[in-house]
Amino acid sequence: MNEKVTSNDVAKKAGVSQATVSRVINNYSFVRESTREKVLQAIEEMGFTPDQVARSLNMRKTGTIGLIVGDISNPFFSETAKVIIGEARESGFDVIISDTDHSDQNLGKAIQTLIGKRVDGMLIGSVGRFDTNVQQLVDKRFPLVMYNTRLDRDDCNYVVINNVKGARVAMKHLLDLGHQKIAYISGNTKYSTLYDRLNGYHETIKKQGLPFRQDYVYDGELTVAGLQRFLQTPWQDEERPTAFFASNDQIALLLMEAALSLGIRVPEDISIIGFDNISYSAKPFIQLTTVSQQHRRMASLALEKLIQLMNTDDKTLKVSANLEPEIIVRNTSAALEQ
Amino acid sequence: MNEKVTSNDVAKKAGVSQATVSRVINNYSFVRESTREKVLQAIEEMGFTPDQVARSLNMRKTGTIGLIVGDISNPFFSETAKVIIGEARESGFDVIISDTDHSDQNLGKAIQTLIGKRVDGMLIGSVGRFDTNVQQLVDKRFPLVMYNTRLDRDDCNYVVINNVKGARVAMKHLLDLGHQKIAYISGNTKYSTLYDRLNGYHETIKKQGLPFRQDYVYDGELTVAGLQRFLQTPWQDEERPTAFFASNDQIALLLMEAALSLGIRVPEDISIIGFDNISYSAKPFIQLTTVSQQHRRMASLALEKLIQLMNTDDKTLKVSANLEPEIIVRNTSAALEQ
DNA sequence: GTGAAAGCGCTAACAG
DNA sequence: CTGTTAGCGCTTTCAC
């Protein structure tokens, strides 16, 4: 910024050695009060701000963590990011955010630049089950905690909910309301989260002895137009799904849009249940029934675990946590009218 | 990460000097092809990633910019952040995000840590008109571009729309629909954006020869409960506002919630117009009439300007830009029924 | 073309 | 308590 005042300049002005300046900015205890004050005053007068870059270089830590998400404009991620940024700061960390747009290639690049920047640890909210870039990080035992999604291996650190169970809970809710013909809108199953939810759906269908119909599972483009086409599938009347389980709230909202545009009423004509409980789902004009994955708590825990990881030398420490899914019944699901 | 491989290690392995390694990772031209390849191979084999911290230290730049916003979970900011993060990466910058929770004190601290981290520049989306911390940055000619809000002085860099005009446009829309009794829901006027919009409201009221009523302006707590109380103000029937101008979309949504909970229909009973055009406002179950401030374009421009600023030594360069407000008419505003 | 050497601004022993 | 001395891992002259 202005004419680069360094600890050396401060030292000269205060008439002490540069090391002493370093001692006072680091609150080292054994500095005579009078010299401490001299230094402090010089710092004040010269507008000195310690250079964290230099500091990082020989401390081998930067006080920065990397946060990688698939889409920061998705409320799920912006809401978790808020928690992470806030609590990280309280613990003395800044956070660099990378947005991958759900591309594996971008994820790879993001990891590379973050490694280059020597972040002390990473939090990853979107990672494919078999992502090779993240696998390598794990193999290297780089301090890393995944949340929301995780790799398909156990020797890694993550905070997730039991998504199979979450899907089961969602299905049970629909079944309890009398629905039997339940369609599923799948997101990209490269993510464990979405893969597990799909499995929970399948599992429930099977356990209930319901016929499995491939045409009840949508895995096309996640746009209003695509979902409109799905809703307009030429089912026989008695085969038409009466309930739709969307693999997350964003998708559920899209589905609600599609239904609305087609004059299909929710929940009168069809019931809809989502997953995640993003804050918009609670809005009175939406009132989406959904399953909470306690995302703020998840974010908070993930950071807490990461900090543990960064503070230990035990390369074998496991810090994963599992949260419980929780159903939130609102107005988009209703009993099936006979 | 793993056992810290440095350019020195690479140099030894490749049988060249460390300086040469530096030359190849920086794509310096005058390196013999054969030695370049030797080095590249050693880098590959050893899994070497250049230490950007060391690099930053003597290049006096970090390739990192700071982004400060009032609330990253607000879609306006997460959507602009997405643009900024994406385009910054394309230009070789990472971004550290600070979330101030709209507190001036947090803003001050955020600036301090970002300065300490030696970011190459800053983008600030939320700054009070007279904020002293940011004033100091401007005085120092630190590379800084504000967007959305700005300081109340002209010798600073910003990208904003003409908010007075935007408010005028919003008011005109309501007036054209026959509304005369128009209430205004004010946000915190420490922000230029919200200050200007309030002025645009006042100005229009005056120019139209409409009576100015203090009880038409709400500047209480921005919660559903607070807005419910406002809607329940014991106005005489003929004094009851027929239209509400909310100073931004978030607030408009809260107002819609409040109205809904009170059984007040929009737009049948009251018209509502917002400001910002966040993506949720376009959702079919919301369909909020609003004024766009082209926020993605604003973010993109702000970053572009910042990059200009960071690439010049001309400390007097001014890079501000003004965008035009644009009304988006949807379903929350309707002609006044006589 | 390539090596040697001098820092970038700080922290961390090690003396005294 | 405080100064001196090495680096941290790079980039960048300046020679050869």
Side-chain angles (χ1 to χ4, degrees):
Chain A
M1 355 181 324
N2 47 359
E3 288 65 33
K4 286 269 149 224
V5 19
T6 73
S7 58
N8 226 314
D9 303 333
V10 173
K12 278 185 196 119
K13 174 138 187 166
V16 298
S17 78
Q18 185 272 328
T20 297
V21 175
S22 177
R23 289 186 183 105
V24 352
I25 65 189
N26 289 299
N27 275 310
Y28 183 68
S29 314
F30 307 99
V31 182
R32 188 182 297 135
E33 199 46 36
S34 61
T35 83
R36 176 189 304 283
E37 270 161 22
K38 262 192 308 188
V39 173
L40 252 17
Q41 192 182 337
I43 286 176
E44 176 68 20
E45 283 173 19
M46 308 182 77
F48 165 71
T49 312
D51 187 326
Q52 299 302 329
V53 175
R55 189 163 209 271
S56 299
L57 182 60
N58 60 21
M59 305 248 291
R60 277 167 258 325
K61 48 184 178 174
T62 54
T64 305
I65 64 178
L67 170 59
I68 304 181
V69 297
D71 176 13
I72 189 65
S73 71
N74 174 333
F76 177 85
F77 289 116
S78 64
E79 289 164 17
T80 50
K82 186 177 179 77
V83 172
I84 290 166
I85 292 172
E87 298 187 357
R89 191 198 46 211
E90 283 172 19
S91 300
F93 292 97
D94 288 307
V95 6
I96 293 182
I97 298 193
S98 298
D99 182 318
T100 65
D101 268 324
H102 294 293
S103 136
D104 295 348
Q105 206 193 338
N106 288 343
L107 209 203
K109 284 193 231 158
I111 288 176
Q112 279 318 307
T113 63
L114 290 174
I115 289 291
K117 286 256 156 102
R118 298 296 188 257
V119 295
D120 298 336
M122 291 188 209
L123 249 18
I124 303 186
S126 315
V127 53
R129 285 181 293 140
F130 305 111
D131 188 278
T132 52
N133 294 295
V134 177
Q135 304 248 32
Q136 285 173 25
L137 271 190
V138 171
D139 290 339
K140 260 175 207 157
R141 314 258 96 200
F142 183 88
L144 160 66
V145 176
M146 288 164 259
Y147 71 96
N148 178 46
T149 55
R150 47 165 293 200
L151 285 175
D152 188 33
R153 54 187 271 185
D154 285 319
D155 62 333
C156 60
N157 300 298
Y158 52 84
V159 180
V160 297
I161 62 164
N162 183 331
N163 285 288
V164 176
K165 182 168 170 190
R168 251 185 250 139
V169 169
M171 290 295 282
K172 176 169 190 317
H173 170 69
L174 262 13
L175 290 164
D176 286 351
L177 289 172
H179 297 278
Q180 300 262 61
K181 289 164 287 181
I182 305 174
Y184 181 77
I185 317 289
S186 179
N188 190 336
T189 52
K190 80 175 178 188
Y191 294 124
S192 64
T193 315
L194 273 9
Y195 178 79
D196 289 349
R197 290 174 193 172
L198 176 60
N199 281 342
Y201 167 78
H202 278 152
E203 192 190 274
T204 306
I205 292 286
K206 198 167 175 186
K207 192 173 293 174
Q208 290 294 314
L210 262 24
F212 170 67
R213 301 183 49 134
Q214 186 56 55
D215 63 341
Y216 277 7
V217 176
Y218 177 82
D219 64 353
E221 219 187 324
L222 295 171
T223 58
V224 173
L227 291 168
Q228 281 173 334
R229 280 190 295 278
F230 182 56
L231 286 173
Q232 291 175 307
T233 306
W235 284 296
Q236 306 289 343
D237 270 356
E238 66 278 14
E239 295 186 318
R240 183 167 297 280
T242 59
F244 292 76
F245 174 16
S247 52
N248 72 38
D249 284 2
Q250 287 268 294
I251 297 175
L253 294 188
L254 253 25
L255 183 65
M256 285 174 71
E257 286 190 45
L260 189 64
S261 67
L262 259 24
I264 299 173
R265 295 165 307 162
V266 178
E268 293 83 353
D269 300 326
I270 59 172
S271 282
I272 294 181
I273 187 168
F275 210 119
D276 280 356
N277 193 31
I278 62 178
S279 59
Y280 276 87
S281 302
K283 292 279 180 198
F285 18 83
I286 297 181
Q287 285 292 317
L288 178 67
T289 293
T290 189
V291 179
S292 166
Q293 60 167 325
Q294 306 182 59
H295 60 300
R296 289 173 227 269
R297 171 138 181 66
M298 181 181 278
S300 174
L301 260 179
L303 176 66
E304 189 184 298
K305 302 292 182 190
L306 179 62
I307 290 177
Q308 278 178 34
L309 230 39
M310 295 186 300
N311 284 335
T312 181
D313 291 320
D314 177 4
K315 286 301 191 185
T316 65
L317 183 64
K318 276 275 295 168
V319 295
S320 299
N322 289 282
L323 260 26
E324 283 302 305
E326 209 172 277
I327 188 145
I328 315 260
V329 177
R330 287 195 280 245
N331 301 343
T332 58
S333 56
L336 182 65
E337 299 185 24
Q338 301 304 346
Chain B
M1 354 181 319
N2 46 0
E3 288 65 34
K4 285 269 151 225
V5 19
T6 73
S7 57
N8 227 313
D9 303 333
V10 174
K12 276 183 199 124
K13 172 140 189 163
V16 298
S17 78
Q18 185 271 329
T20 297
V21 175
S22 177
R23 287 187 183 106
V24 353
I25 65 188
N26 288 300
N27 274 311
Y28 182 67
S29 314
F30 306 100
V31 181
R32 188 180 298 138
E33 199 47 35
S34 62
T35 80
R36 176 190 303 284
E37 270 162 22
K38 263 191 309 186
V39 173
L40 251 17
Q41 191 184 337
I43 287 177
E44 176 67 22
E45 284 173 20
M46 309 184 74
F48 166 69
T49 311
D51 188 326
Q52 299 302 330
V53 175
R55 189 162 209 270
S56 298
L57 181 59
N58 60 20
M59 306 249 290
R60 278 165 262 321
K61 49 184 177 175
T62 54
T64 305
I65 64 178
L67 169 59
I68 304 180
V69 297
D71 176 13
I72 190 64
S73 71
N74 175 334
F76 177 85
F77 290 116
S78 64
E79 289 164 17
T80 50
K82 185 177 180 76
V83 172
I84 290 166
I85 292 172
E87 298 187 357
R89 190 197 46 208
E90 283 171 18
S91 300
F93 292 97
D94 288 306
V95 7
I96 293 181
I97 298 193
S98 298
D99 182 318
T100 65
D101 268 324
H102 295 294
S103 136
D104 295 350
Q105 207 193 336
N106 288 344
L107 209 202
K109 282 192 232 158
I111 289 176
Q112 279 319 306
T113 63
L114 290 174
I115 290 291
K117 287 256 155 102
R118 297 297 188 254
V119 295
D120 297 335
M122 288 188 211
L123 249 19
I124 303 185
S126 316
V127 52
R129 286 181 292 140
F130 305 112
D131 187 278
T132 51
N133 294 296
V134 178
Q135 304 247 31
Q136 285 173 25
L137 271 190
V138 172
D139 290 340
K140 260 175 208 159
R141 316 257 93 205
F142 182 88
L144 161 65
V145 176
M146 288 163 260
Y147 71 96
N148 177 47
T149 54
R150 46 166 294 201
L151 285 175
D152 189 33
R153 55 188 269 185
D154 285 320
D155 62 334
C156 60
N157 300 297
Y158 51 85
V159 180
V160 296
I161 62 164
N162 184 331
N163 284 290
V164 176
K165 183 168 169 190
R168 251 185 249 138
V169 168
M171 290 295 283
K172 178 171 187 316
H173 170 69
L174 262 11
L175 290 163
D176 286 350
L177 288 172
H179 296 280
Q180 300 262 61
K181 290 164 287 182
I182 304 174
Y184 180 78
I185 316 290
S186 179
N188 190 337
T189 52
K190 81 175 177 187
Y191 294 124
S192 64
T193 315
L194 272 8
Y195 179 78
D196 289 349
R197 290 174 193 172
L198 177 59
N199 281 341
Y201 167 79
H202 278 152
E203 193 190 272
T204 307
I205 292 287
K206 197 168 178 185
K207 193 174 290 173
Q208 289 293 314
L210 261 25
F212 171 69
R213 300 183 50 132
Q214 186 56 54
D215 63 342
Y216 277 8
V217 176
Y218 177 82
D219 63 353
E221 218 187 324
L222 296 171
T223 58
V224 173
L227 292 167
Q228 282 174 333
R229 280 191 295 277
F230 183 55
L231 286 173
Q232 291 176 305
T233 306
W235 284 296
Q236 306 289 342
D237 270 356
E238 66 279 12
E239 295 185 319
R240 184 169 297 279
T242 59
F244 292 76
F245 174 16
S247 51
N248 71 38
D249 284 2
Q250 287 269 293
I251 297 175
L253 294 188
L254 254 23
L255 184 64
M256 285 174 71
E257 285 192 46
L260 188 63
S261 67
L262 259 26
I264 299 173
R265 294 165 308 163
V266 179
E268 292 83 353
D269 299 326
I270 59 171
S271 282
I272 294 181
I273 187 168
F275 210 120
D276 280 355
N277 194 31
I278 61 178
S279 58
Y280 276 86
S281 302
K283 292 278 178 201
F285 17 83
I286 297 182
Q287 285 291 317
L288 178 66
T289 293
T290 189
V291 178
S292 166
Q293 58 167 327
Q294 306 181 59
H295 61 298
R296 290 174 227 267
R297 171 138 182 64
M298 181 181 277
S300 174
L301 260 178
L303 176 65
E304 189 184 299
K305 301 292 184 192
L306 178 62
I307 290 178
Q308 278 178 34
L309 229 40
M310 295 187 299
N311 283 336
T312 182
D313 292 321
D314 176 4
K315 286 301 192 186
T316 65
L317 183 66
K318 275 275 293 169
V319 295
S320 298
N322 289 282
L323 259 27
E324 283 302 303
E326 209 173 278
I327 187 146
I328 313 261
V329 178
R330 287 194 280 245
N331 300 343
T332 58
S333 57
L336 182 65
E337 299 185 23
Q338 302 302 347

